[in-house]
Amino acid sequence: MQFPEELKYTKDHEWIRLDGDMAVVGITDHAQNELGDIVYVDVTTVGESLSMNDVFGSVEAVKTVSDLFLPVTGEILELNPVLDGAPETVNNDPYGAGWMIRMQLSDPSELDGLMSAEEYKQFIGA
Amino acid sequence: MKTIPLHDLHVQLGAKMVPFAGFVMPVRYTSDLDEHHAVRNSVGVFDVSHMGEFVLRGPQALDLIQKVSANDASVLYDGKVQYSYLPNADGGVVDDLLVYRHHADEYMLVVNASNIEKDWDWIMSHNTEGVEMENISDQMCLFAVQGPKAIATLQKLTEIDVAAMEYYTFQTGSLGGIEGVILSATGYTGAGGFEVYVEKEKAQVIWEAIFEAGAEFGIKPIGLGARDTLRLEKGFCLYGNDISDTTSPLEAGLGWVTKFTKPFINSDALKVQKEQGIARKLVGFEMIDRGIPRSHYELCDAGGNVIGEVTSGTQSPTLQKGIGMGYVQKEYSQPGAELFVKVRERLLKAQVIKLPFVK
């Protein structure tokens, strides 16, 4: 199980990587492992501005469906186009090619409230 | 929460263990999809030892079975298996089950894990015939060896002519050097194959023998995740999802195992229901719009009016699209009928199709 140091983590098992005043969001290695084979990433909020912890989409695995929560407030800019034809990319590379959305942050200071890699690792008992 | 006898072996094999029907069960070993395809294309083994087995003995065993089950067990012969269900007195279903005839005065009933106690109490409460009943659920393991290479796998382990066994028959014999194993040409995947009943003390020996025999076919252990997608592709009902204490067996499409040629519990009321016609029906549907139906999602007409509810749904690994089953008002039950699945407040188009989804 991987926990990249440069990411921030949420209790809902999303990660966020800051890139200037923009950020990339995905789900953690732990999350994809719990879900099993991911067959559909359903995001219909591109172009919308949402608040921290709002649902921005859903991730559908073979057995189950799970809401996706926005780690911080901002505008959804883009859904990873790779996921349309290859949703399994989330299983194979959750922190890399399997990223889910790009977003514009409203208030970067919200990141301070999220977990570090070490804190998330403890949170899930890994 | 109970554990199955080979629990530790599954953990060693890397299974993710989850609670299911009161047992800790392997839900997947590697990937639901890989496991699904292994069964459709080659061979896989499910440990479904959570299932319950009751043995009924005595000259009136058949009378009791005829009373509590809706199918006609009098047509069974030694070595024959029958799919049936236990109707309750209120129009619903206590459980669905398999009935095995060992001899004219000895039968085995195989029931769902979640219903073992309920079924036992129910049958016992109707046992005015003094039939000897034994619950052997905790003594037995059940392995489902399923897929097109199941015959070739099992044939290496037994003198029984496996390929010659007809669907829904069984034989008791030697398998992998273990005597008294029940080899049953049944399953819940529609992929062909067998179910193997063995005493728990001998179970690991049999499991290992099956995996050695199937190695050349890439045999895999298969979890409950793939079991669900496999059965759903074939349109098989799952108790607790598609049928329950409150669903009519006739609405569920179990008319084919409802035989009014003999009296059984609630048969009079079910006969009236059959004559009067049913108001809603369990149907299969596939998604036209992109989306995945899940149990309890609403089924709607084009205007968004609720016309039913999804009872089972998934993304079909074989068809690569959303499939589901659900109850709908009768006028929406014909193949080709358009309906809409409400997925996260969106109405996604689907179409009723004739089951199975995968031929």
Side-chain angles (χ1 to χ4, degrees):
Chain A
M1 199 82 63
Q2 291 180 43
F3 308 92
E5 288 295 330
E6 69 277 19
L7 306 181
K8 289 286 198 175
Y9 298 82
T10 74
K11 60 177 173 42
D12 300 306
H13 311 288
E14 284 90 15
W15 55 260
I16 182 165
R17 177 190 292 120
L18 194 60
D19 182 12
D21 59 350
M22 300 214 282
V24 176
V25 175
I27 65 168
T28 66
D29 197 11
H30 172 71
Q32 69 78 20
N33 191 52
E34 289 293 310
L35 287 166
D37 293 305
I38 290 164
V39 291
Y40 185 30
V41 179
D42 185 13
V43 172
T44 56
T45 53
V46 173
E48 294 182 23
S49 290
L50 299 174
S51 299
M52 184 178 193
N53 296 331
D54 280 355
V55 174
F56 71 87
S58 299
V59 55
E60 299 256 16
V62 173
K63 280 295 284 175
T64 186
V65 56
S66 184
D67 283 335
L68 294 166
F69 297 93
L70 203 61
V72 293
T73 303
E75 184 188 351
I76 317 295
L77 300 174
E78 183 191 12
L79 168 66
N80 182 354
V82 166
L83 303 184
D84 187 31
E88 66 276 11
T89 310
V90 178
N91 295 113
N92 300 335
D93 191 7
Y95 299 116
W99 63 274
M100 289 186 172
I101 55 162
R102 277 193 328 120
M103 67 177 294
Q104 177 87 48
L105 278 70
S106 301
D107 178 6
S109 72
E110 285 178 347
L111 289 169
D112 300 339
L114 303 180
M115 285 182 269
S116 68
E118 189 55 38
E119 285 165 339
Y120 178 69
K121 201 171 161 180
Q122 285 182 13
F123 174 70
I124 62 168
Chain B
M1 202 63 61
K2 293 171 86 168
T3 54
I4 52 175
L6 298 192
H7 173 275
D8 294 351
L9 176 70
H10 299 302
V11 172
Q12 281 168 27
L13 289 169
K16 178 175 167 58
M17 305 296 287
V18 300
F20 178 83
F23 290 79
V24 182
M25 296 296 293
V27 67
R28 86 175 61 90
Y29 297 82
T30 54
S31 142
D32 296 321
L33 294 175
D34 289 352
E35 292 169 27
H36 180 108
H37 295 310
V39 172
R40 280 274 177 267
N41 301 326
S42 187
V43 58
V45 185
F46 307 76
D47 186 342
V48 282
S49 299
H50 60 322
M51 300 288 285
E53 296 88 13
F54 307 152
V55 177
L56 274 56
R57 292 188 195 88
Q60 292 189 285
L62 177 61
D63 294 337
L64 176 58
I65 292 166
Q66 289 289 66
K67 182 167 56 178
V68 298
S69 70
N71 206 344
D72 182 4
S74 73
V75 303
L76 291 172
Y77 48 86
D78 295 355
K80 181 65 181 167
V81 191
Q82 181 180 70
Y83 178 68
S84 188
Y85 69 91
L86 308 174
N88 66 25
D90 311 311
V93 178
V94 178
D95 201 3
D96 63 343
L97 77 166
L98 294 180
V99 180
Y100 286 72
R101 177 168 143 162
H102 282 295
H103 310 292
D105 56 359
E106 184 176 338
Y107 293 80
M108 180 171 75
L109 309 184
V110 180
V111 304
N112 284 299
S114 54
N115 293 333
I116 292 172
E117 270 189 49
K118 181 178 76 167
D119 292 357
W120 176 267
D121 292 346
W122 176 256
I123 298 168
M124 192 61 110
S125 73
H126 289 91
N127 184 10
T128 50
E129 291 83 358
V131 172
E132 180 194 335
M133 287 175 54
E134 187 184 2
N135 182 354
I136 59 169
S137 305
D138 289 343
Q139 280 81 59
M140 301 299 288
C141 279
L142 173 55
F143 303 140
V145 185
Q146 300 280 296
K149 295 296 183 190
I151 291 175
T153 299
L154 292 169
Q155 193 60 75
K156 295 182 188 176
L157 302 174
T158 183
E159 297 292 311
I160 296 169
D161 186 352
V162 179
M165 284 179 67
E166 287 180 27
Y167 194 45
Y168 271 69
T169 65
F170 71 99
Q171 292 194 42
T172 306
S174 173
L175 188 81
I178 306 295
E179 299 295 327
V181 176
I182 296 174
L183 186 62
S184 170
T186 50
Y188 194 46
T189 66
F194 294 80
E195 294 179 300
V196 176
Y197 297 84
V198 57
E199 287 171 20
K200 65 180 177 187
E201 291 79 9
K202 318 280 177 57
Q204 186 149 352
V205 175
I206 291 271
W207 175 277
E208 285 165 2
I210 293 169
F211 275 80
E212 198 181 319
E216 66 169 303
F217 309 117
I219 196 167
K220 282 182 194 299
I222 313 294
L224 293 182
R227 187 170 170 82
D228 194 47
T229 51
L230 287 158
R231 70 94 192 168
L232 189 49
E233 285 188 342
K234 293 292 174 178
F236 298 152
C237 286
L238 172 62
Y239 192 90
N241 278 43
D242 313 302
I243 50 178
S244 74
D245 291 306
T246 57
T247 55
S248 158
L250 301 178
E251 292 179 352
L254 297 179
W256 67 284
V257 287
T258 306
K259 300 292 164 63
F260 294 113
T261 49
K262 51 126 200 187
F264 58 86
I265 290 168
N266 208 36
S267 57
D268 288 346
L270 289 172
K271 203 169 180 178
V272 170
Q273 189 181 39
K274 188 187 176 187
E275 284 159 7
Q276 293 182 341
I278 51 177
R280 57 176 206 157
K281 200 171 169 220
L282 183 66
V283 298
F285 59 88
E286 59 184 28
M287 299 305 297
I288 294 171
D289 288 340
R290 186 163 181 189
I292 302 172
R294 305 283 182 182
S295 61
H296 304 301
Y297 284 7
E298 286 175 348
L299 293 168
C300 300
D301 65 13
N305 303 299
V306 177
I307 55 158
E309 186 179 288
V310 178
T311 52
S312 289
T314 191
Q315 165 104 339
S316 161
T318 302
L319 304 174
Q320 305 246 317
K321 62 178 154 187
I323 59 170
M325 296 203 292
Y327 286 93
V328 293
Q329 291 170 18
K330 187 117 188 278
E331 55 268 37
Y332 295 92
S333 65
Q334 291 301 316
E338 181 183 271
L339 42 84
F340 292 81
V341 185
K342 199 169 191 180
V343 181
R344 299 182 281 278
E345 300 308 310
R346 278 173 286 158
L347 291 178
L348 303 182
K349 193 187 287 186
Q351 177 177 283
V352 174
I353 68 148
K354 190 173 165 11
L355 295 170
F357 297 103
V358 173
K359 303 290 185 284

